[in-house]
């Protein structure tokens, strides 16, 4: 008698062999019966009533966002399509075929809907891999082809790098109209995101789906499509610390140029160096900036004329459209405009600082604005001179009185800077001495000539001293005017940098998305 274990193994082996011998012929017979040429035609729309449309349930499973090409405006994704329909000609009674409930059939052997992505940018247009179709005994067909999809996407970078993008993937039948094939959204929530792989640059907000029925100009029949909108948001942490923060630091260094003394000889060099540094920096990061232009930014209009320099640097990397300026580009242009203006005004400051009386005469409006009112407003003062509203008024009155007094003096009194009565007194005394000493006329004429020589020498020395004093005072006035311009520029550009930074950050729909 054989051991019980040996008998059990023999029975199991016979059962498996019998099962395989019976199941194989049933599936083969089922395929031959279903797909025979006299029974099934791959060109036939599988419906019981030709007047009714075939319903196809459509879904999309997003696996990964591979790339967002802002320059060419193309979105590359890895996704699975999900199509379900009922084939009237692929039904069988499972009891007649050994309990076979489903089959895997290649898609070229049966009818399948010609659903394509309308806005495909792929060279082959259809980027799917044709997998088998799972057919069940009740005629239900499930077709899940994976693929790498390249779809066109209109990039709006008005708020770059704080931007959101809405990229559509539009699917529909290429030849069947809505009366022959009806696409139905498989899930009301849109696409399936359960297996989505997180992207390092973009945050997936959602992927809603909608069904649309459109009548195109080419055909009178309505066509049905299902459109999925991939809503993505750019992660701004990288751009914030690698673009915005360095730009703010470089622009802050430009403000230091207004605090540098003009006599140091490095004032203009600092400004030009900072401008070149900012230009090189922007040129290095230009490739990471999208260049589409579909909307005017919030603050771009006011500085549109100052954007030429930077836009020329990044023009090659942006899409060739001209309707928008990115938010970051707007901010960079503000900073570029500020730094360039600071260089120009530094030239003005140096020009004022090194002016002399031999070449330039200070106009009255410069004296009034830069030596009186602006120093008073900015609380600036000169050594030994406190500028107040009262001192400004007194200074103007003293100048008027001095002009009147000089116009009333004689020429000799103005030359010698003495009073007329003193000169008269000196002449009277001289006459008295001459009459008392009985000096003859020749001696008087000789003394008179010597006196005239002395007067001419005194006139020359006095004029040179007065001219030197006036030149020194005028040079001092120009230097102080340069200091006032420096202080005004420091305040204005500091406010400009702060306000521009705050406006750009406030205008952004979101600040940091990690």
């Amino acid at each position: 008698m054989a051991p019980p274990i040996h008998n059990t193994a023999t029975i199991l082996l016979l059962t498996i062999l019998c099962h395989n011998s019976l199941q194989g012929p049933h599936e083969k017979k089922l395929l031959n019966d279903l797909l025979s040429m006299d029974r099934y035609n791959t060109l036939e729309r599988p419906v019981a009533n030709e007047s009714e449309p075939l319903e196809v349930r459509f879904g999309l499973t997003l696996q990964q966002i591979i790339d967002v090409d802002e320059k060419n405006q193309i979105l590359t994704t890895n996704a699975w399509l999900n199509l379900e329909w009922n084939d009237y000609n692929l039904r069988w009674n499972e009891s007649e075929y050994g309990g076979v409930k489903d089959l895997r059939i290649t898609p070229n052997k049966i009818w399948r809907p010609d659903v394509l992505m309308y806005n495909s940018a792929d060279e082959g247009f259809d980027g799917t891999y044709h997998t088998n179709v799972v057919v069940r005994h009740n005629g239900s067909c499930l077709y899940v082809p994976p693929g790498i999809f390249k779809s066109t996407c209109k990039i709006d970078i008005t708020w770059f790098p704080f931007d959101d993008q809405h990229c559509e993937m539009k699917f529909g039948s290429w030849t069947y109209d809505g009366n022959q094939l009806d696409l139905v959204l498989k899930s009301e929530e849109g696409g399936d995101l359960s297996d989505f792989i997180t992207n390092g640059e973009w945050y997936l907000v959602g992927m809603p789906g909608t069904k649309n029925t459109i009548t195109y100009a080419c055909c009178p029949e309505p066509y049905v499509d299902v459109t999925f909108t991939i809503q993505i948001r750019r992660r701004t942490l990288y751009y914030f610390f690698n673009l915005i923060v360095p730009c703010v630091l470089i622009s802050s260094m430009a403000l230091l140029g207004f605090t540098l003394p003009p006599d140091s000889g490095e004032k203009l060099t600092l400004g030009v160096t900072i401008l070149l540094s900012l230009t090189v920096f922007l040129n290095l990061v230009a490739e990471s900036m999208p260049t589409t232009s579909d909307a005017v930014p919030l603050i771009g209009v006011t500085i549109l004329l100052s954007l030429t320099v930077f836009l020329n640097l990044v023009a090659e990397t942006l899409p060739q459209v001209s309707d928008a300026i990115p938010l970051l580009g707007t901010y960079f242009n503000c900073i570029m405009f500020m730094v360039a203006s600071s260089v120009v005004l530094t030239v003005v400051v140096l020009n004022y600082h090194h002016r002399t009386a031999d070449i330039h005469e200070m106009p009255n409006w410069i004296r009034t604005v830069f030596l009186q009112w602006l120093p008073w407003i900015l609380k600036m003062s000169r050594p030994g001179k406190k500028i107040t509203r009262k001192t400004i008024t007194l200074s103007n009155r003293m100048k008027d009185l001095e002009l009147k007094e000089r116009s009333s003096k004689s020429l000799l009194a103005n030359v010698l800077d003495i009073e007329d009565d003193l000169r008269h007194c000196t002449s009277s005394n001289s006459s008295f001495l001459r009459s008392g000493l009985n000096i003859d006329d020749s001696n008087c004429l000789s003394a008179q000539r010597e006196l005239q020589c002395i007067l001419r020498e005194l006139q020359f020395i006095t004029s040179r001293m007065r001219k030197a004093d006036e030149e020194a005072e005028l040079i001092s006035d120009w230097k102080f005017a340069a200091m006032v311009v420096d202080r005004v520029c420091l305040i204005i550009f500091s406010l400009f940098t702060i306000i521009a930074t705050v406006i750009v950050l406030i205008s952004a729909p979101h600040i940091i998305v990690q």
Side-chain angles (χ1 to χ4, degrees):
M1 184 175 179
I5 297 177
H6 179 72
N7 292 337
T8 303
T10 304
I11 294 172
L12 290 175
L13 180 60
L14 291 175
T15 302
I16 293 174
L17 291 175
C18 292
H19 177 75
N20 287 339
S21 62
L22 293 176
Q23 185 68 15
H26 285 303
E27 188 170 340
K28 180 178 180 180
K29 182 177 183 300
L30 176 59
L31 288 171
N32 291 332
D33 291 345
L34 290 178
L35 303 180
S36 60
M37 297 184 62
D38 58 344
R39 184 177 183 275
Y40 193 87
N41 189 343
T42 58
L43 302 179
E44 177 188 355
R45 188 167 57 95
V47 290
N49 187 354
E50 285 79 0
S51 62
E52 296 180 356
L54 175 64
E55 182 180 287
V56 177
R57 301 181 65 201
F58 185 83
L60 180 68
T61 302
L62 184 63
Q63 295 292 320
Q64 183 183 10
I65 296 175
I66 299 177
D67 181 48
V68 180
D69 188 351
E70 292 97 339
K71 179 180 179 180
N72 297 312
Q73 303 191 78
I74 295 177
L75 171 68
T76 304
T77 54
N78 178 10
W80 299 351
L81 303 185
N82 193 314
L83 293 90
E84 290 187 26
W85 69 93
N86 195 283
D87 194 324
Y88 178 77
N89 299 319
L90 294 179
R91 296 178 179 177
W92 69 90
N93 189 347
E94 56 181 319
S95 61
E96 295 178 1
Y97 294 93
V100 179
K101 296 182 179 180
D102 49 44
L103 297 171
R104 273 72 178 170
I105 306 175
T106 56
N108 61 338
K109 297 291 185 180
I110 63 174
W111 181 93
R112 62 184 176 89
D114 57 343
V115 175
L116 295 173
M117 185 168 64
Y118 281 19
N119 59 330
S120 175
D122 194 277
E123 295 179 356
F125 202 84
D126 185 11
T128 59
Y129 178 77
H130 295 170
T131 59
N132 291 335
V133 180
V134 179
V135 182
R136 300 188 181 278
H137 64 91
N138 59 356
S140 174
C141 299
L142 176 63
Y143 182 46
V144 186
I148 304 298
F149 296 93
K150 292 184 178 181
S151 57
T152 58
C153 178
K154 189 175 183 180
I155 303 295
D156 180 13
I157 47 83
T158 302
W159 305 108
F160 176 86
F162 311 105
D163 55 328
D164 292 353
Q165 303 298 334
H166 294 173
C167 298
E168 294 183 349
M169 299 179 69
K170 182 178 179 180
F171 296 91
S173 174
W174 197 255
T175 58
Y176 292 103
D177 58 58
N179 299 323
Q180 298 172 322
L181 190 147
D182 184 22
L183 276 180
V184 179
L185 195 60
K186 189 173 183 180
S187 174
E188 295 181 356
E189 298 178 357
D192 183 8
L193 305 177
S194 57
D195 297 327
F196 178 74
I197 300 174
T198 304
N199 185 272
E201 184 180 0
W202 297 92
Y203 170 74
L204 182 62
V205 179
M207 191 173 66
T210 57
K211 175 183 175 181
N212 306 300
T213 302
I214 303 175
T215 302
Y216 297 96
C218 65
C219 314
E221 299 84 3
Y223 281 80
V224 180
D225 68 78
V226 172
T227 301
F228 294 94
T229 303
I230 300 178
Q231 301 173 350
I232 52 179
R233 176 171 296 170
R234 193 185 302 270
R235 298 181 184 271
T236 57
L237 192 61
Y238 170 83
Y239 295 95
F240 188 82
F241 286 101
N242 290 276
L243 294 182
I244 297 178
V245 172
C247 183
V248 173
L249 294 178
I250 293 176
S251 62
S252 301
M253 292 175 62
L255 301 176
L256 299 178
F258 296 115
T259 63
L260 194 65
D263 291 330
S264 65
E266 300 294 334
K267 193 176 184 68
L268 185 60
T269 304
L270 177 63
V272 174
T273 303
I274 293 173
L275 181 61
L276 293 177
S277 301
L278 185 60
T279 304
V280 172
F281 171 74
L282 295 180
N283 195 21
L284 292 176
V285 301
E287 294 181 358
S288 63
M289 289 194 62
T291 51
T292 185
S293 303
D294 299 322
V296 178
L298 181 63
I299 61 174
V301 178
T302 57
I303 58 168
L304 190 59
L305 296 178
S306 66
L307 307 183
T308 306
V309 176
F310 177 68
L311 293 182
N312 287 337
L313 293 175
V314 300
E316 296 181 358
T317 62
L318 302 181
Q320 303 301 317
V321 288
S322 304
D323 301 322
I325 301 172
L327 181 66
L328 186 58
T330 299
Y331 178 68
F332 280 166
N333 285 312
C334 290
I335 300 303
M336 285 287 292
F337 174 73
M338 187 273 291
V339 174
S341 300
S342 68
V343 173
V344 174
L345 290 172
T346 299
V347 174
V348 175
V349 170
L350 292 175
N351 184 279
Y352 278 12
H353 183 80
H354 294 286
R355 284 190 176 186
T356 60
D358 297 335
I359 303 175
H360 296 91
E361 182 179 355
M362 180 173 286
N364 290 329
W365 69 270
I366 293 182
R367 189 179 300 275
T368 303
V369 174
F370 292 103
L371 299 184
Q372 295 179 355
W373 292 108
L374 282 180
W376 173 64
I377 294 173
L378 300 176
K379 306 299 182 182
M380 297 177 64
S381 60
R382 304 171 69 173
K385 297 181 181 179
K386 186 176 181 181
I387 302 175
T388 62
R389 189 181 182 90
K390 184 177 181 180
T391 58
I392 293 173
T393 305
L394 290 176
S395 177
N396 293 331
R397 290 181 179 178
M398 290 296 294
K399 287 181 180 179
D400 294 338
L401 292 175
E402 184 179 354
L403 290 175
K404 291 180 180 180
E405 184 180 359
R406 283 184 175 274
S407 62
S408 64
K409 286 183 179 181
S410 64
L411 178 60
L412 183 60
N414 284 324
V415 170
L416 298 178
D417 197 16
I418 59 177
E419 299 296 335
D420 282 344
D421 54 356
L422 180 60
R423 183 173 59 87
H424 291 307
C425 181
T426 304
S427 300
S428 301
N429 291 333
S430 299
S431 300
F432 174 77
L433 289 173
R434 281 190 304 169
S435 60
L437 296 175
N438 297 320
I439 301 175
D440 55 4
D441 293 338
S442 60
N443 292 333
C444 182
L445 291 175
S446 177
Q448 185 176 4
R449 283 194 298 269
E450 291 179 0
L451 181 61
Q452 288 178 353
C453 291
I454 294 173
L455 289 176
R456 282 195 298 269
E457 293 296 332
L458 290 175
Q459 179 182 1
F460 177 77
I461 295 173
T462 306
S463 62
R464 290 297 298 269
M465 293 178 63
R466 182 179 291 108
K467 185 177 180 180
D469 292 342
E470 290 176 352
E471 289 179 354
E473 185 177 359
L474 186 59
I475 292 174
S476 177
D477 289 343
W478 279 117
K479 290 184 177 182
F480 187 71
M483 291 178 57
V484 173
V485 173
D486 257 346
R487 184 68 59 86
V488 171
C489 292
L490 177 62
I491 295 174
I492 292 177
F493 285 111
S494 298
L495 292 176
F496 180 84
T497 303
I498 296 173
I499 292 174
T501 304
V502 171
I503 289 178
V504 167
L505 295 179
I506 292 178
S507 301
H510 53 84
I511 303 299
I512 295 182
V513 178
Q514 298 182 356

